[in-house]
Amino acid sequence: AHEKGCTFTSETTGPVMTADGMLHFQGVDVPMGEFWLRSPSHDKPNDILDAVSGGRIYGKPVIRAEAFTEVRMNWLESPSNLKSLQDRNYALGINGLVYHVFTHNPWTDRKPGMTLNDVGLLFQRDQTWWKPGRAWVEYAQRCQALLQQGKPVVDIAVFTGEEIPRRAVLPDRLVSSLPGIFGKETVESEQKRLANTGLPMRQLPDGVNTGANMATPDKWTDPLHGYAYDSFNADALLRLASVRNGRVEFPGGASYGIVVLPGRHQMQPNSGLMSREVAERLEQLVRDGATLVLGDRPAASPGLTDYAESDKKVKEIAEELWGGVFSEVNGPDGTFSMKQLGAGRVIKGPFSAGSFDRLGLTRDLVITGLENNPAGKMAWTHRNTEDKDIYFISNQDSVEKELQLSFRIKSKVPEFYDAVTGETRAAESWQSVGDRVQMPYKFAPNASVFVVFKEGSIFKGSATPDEKQNAKNWMSLKLVEDITGPWRLSFDPAFGGPKQAVQFNQLSDWSKSQDSLIRYYSGTALYAKNFKWKNGKEGRRVWIDLGRVADIAEVKVNGISCGVAWTAPYRVEITEALKKGSNFLEIEVTNTWANRLIGDLSLPEDKRIAHTTATIRLQGKPLSPAGLIGPVIIQTEE
């Protein structure tokens, strides 16, 4: 590939593979993993972690993923319900998406036309929301522009062991090795899950049965509560690992403060075996200054070549690492046993303390709830460049959260970057406390934010109580005008809508309409009305909030596009387009294909509106909410 001036990217992984899941990425320019949508039986979390960890230990800056693949699509997919999955994989370390799948549709008169039938997201020109969906793609571009900068900041390196198959270690398989870091609640939950009492099942998607207690990635966001981890394999350990300033480093820039040897788990049933080469290298890393959390003590080498001498050497090193006198280290969050060996340290596992603070490694990011608002599921990642630190934080829940964020950052000034709008906003309320920066932040449902720390000539330090009380890190908006009916709606007859414009006296769900042409409509409808603006702008920014939208909307004021609302909050700024007096408002709202396909099931073949190669499995399914449901209001910033 290089001889021909090409870049080589490869997704050479799979759910079962008698190989090292990371090793091949050393010979790939751009590693790739794979994540699935609504398809837990087909999702491949190991593929993602293999690609991320493999890319990092072998020094590959861009790590892609086959994205949003699904089995038996339900035709309800839209940018709003794809975002949290996208963000979770960004947080895992993916920084480039390869959409599965962009399908060629050879027909101009059949919509949605060609698909991959049972496999793949409908992502092509005949998707209903294809044109306004550009805003979702721009979000990915903005996120990836930041997530490809600098190097990842990761504290923990987990050894994959020498078993075959050899894969990156999933978080559920680390619980028994780091019970204190995972916490009592997770430990107890895992015990119940693995007991498999009653063999609970679920059906997702329709017709596909899976275990309801699978360890799916959505249940393991921020599993180490503020610490991030990667896996590394024997090849990287033996050829690439070195120690500098107490951290294990790899040539591509990956650096880790603690190395964990997991105990026995599903992918490592023979945890009492360790090759002589690996044992010698681990011992050397510790003597050079590394900190090693021990797993099960090895008793023999797995090989047959020189087995007697190898077994003897492994036992000697095991005695060096696992034997001898350990001292008890006490802390406010638990105790552990440790001893010095050369310039480094070894710690007896399982590690039962609640943090690595006593080892000089504090949590990178701590997220706590405010005002009885629990943090819930949050996902994050951290990157560092020569002049800034970049944190990406995602609310994985569909509820608003007001949270306290605490960053392991010193003497840098924070600002917020919203990849949905492309807007940067200064942090107004934050404190420098020791070697950390603390601040509150309010997350909309499924919202994400970049917090970027830069060297600044003005370092605010600690704010006074009054400043903290009055300043906020998010917009406080006040209602200025409520835009009520009537609304003029124009549907597209080519998509089965009414030929003439209709009037809605108030906003309502299309799927509740008495008119079957509206009830089963899928596509774009134009809402139009005039409204008067009496307040003037007076230097204030003005927004229009659409309330509830199903599923995506583009707003125009006086013929000027003000943006696309595709995720919460469904709000766009209209300041520049707004004028005093009469204004003309247009809102183009697009729903998914589901309702049209359901409606077509009751029509003769020659009367159907939608035509596709896919198998339709929507018989008996309820219609989905559609259109602009509102309320629509105009707001200004306080």
Side-chain angles (χ1 to χ4, degrees), residues 558-609:
N558 300 318
I560 300 171
S561 177
C562 298
V564 176
W566 61 273
T567 186
Y570 289 86
R571 181 173 64 215
V572 299
E573 185 178 357
I574 60 173
T575 309
E576 297 303 317
L578 193 63
K579 63 182 181 181
K580 193 169 185 178
S582 180
N583 290 265
F584 183 52
L585 173 63
E586 298 170 286
I587 306 174
E588 294 180 326
V589 179
T590 307
N591 66 332
T592 66
W593 273 112
N595 290 354
R596 177 71 272 156
L597 292 168
I598 291 173
D600 277 4
L601 290 173
S602 62
L603 298 177
E605 186 75 31
D606 60 346
K607 300 293 185 183
R608 293 180 179 180
I609 308 300

Side-chain angles (χ1 to χ4, degrees), residues 301-619:
S301 171
L304 293 176
T305 303
D306 267 344
Y307 69 88
E309 184 62 28
S310 294
D311 286 355
K312 179 182 176 182
K313 188 62 177 178
V314 167
K315 290 177 181 177
E316 289 175 359
I317 295 174
E319 179 59 28
E320 195 72 25
L321 294 174
W322 275 263
V325 178
F326 284 75
S327 301
E328 192 171 85
V329 180
N330 298 303
D333 55 1
T335 63
F336 57 92
S337 297
M338 181 181 74
K339 73 173 182 181
Q340 198 79 24
L341 185 63
R345 302 169 290 191
V346 290
I347 295 129
K348 278 189 176 179
F351 189 83
S352 56
S355 75
F356 294 118
D357 289 358
R358 294 299 302 275
L359 297 172
L361 188 62
T362 59
R363 287 181 169 87
D364 191 2
L365 175 62
V366 178
I367 304 174
T368 53
L370 291 177
E371 300 178 0
N372 299 318
N373 186 356
K377 294 193 297 182
M378 303 293 294
W380 62 276
T381 191
H382 175 195
R383 300 185 71 86
N384 174 260
T385 72
E386 290 184 358
D387 62 348
K388 58 183 176 289
D389 282 87
I390 302 169
Y391 286 84
F392 173 77
I393 309 172
S394 165
N395 176 11
Q396 290 286 295
D397 288 319
S398 55
V399 295
E400 184 180 86
K401 298 175 185 175
E402 188 172 333
L403 305 175
Q404 180 76 11
L405 309 177
S406 174
F407 302 86
R408 192 177 61 202
I409 293 291
K410 185 178 181 180
S411 301
K412 288 186 179 180
V413 178
E415 64 184 20
F416 300 104
Y417 176 71
D418 184 349
V420 172
T421 64
E423 183 173 272
T424 299
R425 184 181 180 90
E428 299 292 339
S429 174
W430 56 279
Q431 287 182 290
S432 175
V433 181
D435 291 339
R436 303 191 72 85
V437 168
Q438 299 177 355
M439 65 181 71
Y441 192 79
K442 182 182 287 187
F443 289 86
N446 297 124
S448 60
V449 69
F450 284 91
V451 185
V452 181
F453 290 87
K454 298 180 180 179
E455 301 287 351
S457 58
I458 301 175
F459 181 67
K460 294 183 179 179
S462 298
T464 67
D466 286 342
E467 289 172 333
K468 286 190 293 182
Q469 183 176 355
N470 296 328
K472 291 183 178 180
N473 292 325
W474 55 89
M475 289 191 298
S476 293
L477 299 173
K478 63 179 180 180
L479 172 65
V480 176
E481 189 169 336
D482 189 349
I483 300 182
T484 57
W487 295 82
R488 177 185 171 88
L489 267 71
S490 299
F491 292 85
D492 188 344
F495 280 70
K499 294 182 179 179
Q500 303 297 325
V502 297
Q503 179 172 300
F504 276 26
N505 291 323
Q506 59 184 14
L507 296 174
S508 61
D509 180 350
W510 300 346
S511 70
K512 307 295 184 184
S513 174
Q514 297 300 309
D515 186 342
S516 63
L517 299 180
I518 297 175
R519 185 166 65 251
Y520 296 120
Y521 183 79
S522 288
T524 300
L526 174 63
Y527 290 73
K529 73 178 287 81
N530 289 292
F531 70 96
K532 288 188 176 180
W533 179 250
K534 303 177 182 178
N535 298 276
K537 288 181 281 190
E538 302 169 352
R540 295 176 299 170
R541 299 175 68 188
V542 185
W543 283 266
I544 188 165
D545 189 312
L546 305 183
R548 188 180 176 192
V549 177
D551 292 276
I552 188 170
E554 181 166 5
V555 177
K556 295 179 181 179
V557 175
N558 300 318
I560 300 171
S561 177
C562 298
V564 176
W566 61 273
T567 186
Y570 289 86
R571 181 173 64 215
V572 299
E573 185 178 357
I574 60 173
T575 309
E576 297 303 317
L578 193 63
K579 63 182 181 181
K580 193 169 185 178
S582 180
N583 290 265
F584 183 52
L585 173 63
E586 298 170 286
I587 306 174
E588 294 180 326
V589 179
T590 307
N591 66 332
T592 66
W593 273 112
N595 290 354
R596 177 71 272 156
L597 292 168
I598 291 173
D600 277 4
L601 290 173
S602 62
L603 298 177
E605 186 75 31
D606 60 346
K607 300 293 185 183
R608 293 180 179 180
I609 308 300
H611 300 278
T612 177
T613 58
T615 301
I616 307 300
R617 298 183 178 87
L618 297 174
Q619 293 87 348

Side-chain angles (χ1 to χ4, degrees), residues 162-306:
E162 300 176 84
E163 295 276 357
I164 292 292
R166 183 184 306 147
R167 307 299 300 267
V169 181
L170 295 173
D172 61 290
R173 292 164 189 172
L174 265 181
V175 174
S176 59
S177 297
L178 302 174
I181 302 297
F182 280 91
K184 181 180 178 181
E185 183 178 337
T186 299
V187 171
E188 292 177 350
S189 174
E190 271 300 277
Q191 289 173 345
K192 293 178 182 178
R193 186 181 71 84
L194 293 174
N196 237 348
T197 303
L199 294 174
M201 300 294 289
R202 68 175 170 182
Q203 198 173 92
L204 184 70
D206 289 346
V208 180
N209 294 308
T210 58
N213 63 342
M214 288 173 63
T216 50
D218 61 301
K219 298 176 182 176
W220 295 93
T221 57
D222 193 17
L224 300 187
H225 305 295
Y227 295 108
Y229 82 92
D230 286 334
S231 298
F232 68 102
N233 56 7
D235 174 70
L237 170 68
L238 296 174
R239 293 196 304 112
L240 304 174
S242 62
V243 180
R244 185 164 69 97
N245 298 326
R247 294 181 71 88
V248 175
E249 297 186 342
F250 295 91
S255 174
Y256 307 97
I258 292 175
V259 172
V260 177
L261 302 182
R264 183 179 184 274
H265 59 81
Q266 293 95 321
M267 294 293 283
Q268 187 172 284
N270 300 312
S271 57
L273 298 178
M274 181 179 289
S275 69
R276 174 178 177 173
E277 295 80 9
V278 164
E280 290 174 338
R281 190 72 188 107
L282 288 171
E283 181 192 27
Q284 187 60 53
L285 289 180
V286 173
R287 292 192 178 279
D288 289 345
T291 298
L292 183 63
V293 176
L294 302 171
D296 297 333
R297 179 170 178 158
S301 171
L304 293 176
T305 303
D306 267 344

Side-chain angles (χ1 to χ4, degrees), residues 48-49 51-52 56 61-64 87-96 147 152 230 380-381 383:
I48 291 294
L49 295 192
V52 169
R56 288 172 174 174
V62 177
I63 304 169
R64 293 180 180 151
D87 289 350
R88 186 165 72 244
N89 282 277
Y90 283 154
L92 287 172
I94 297 299
N95 56 12
L147 293 173
D230 286 334
W380 62 276
T381 191
R383 300 185 71 86

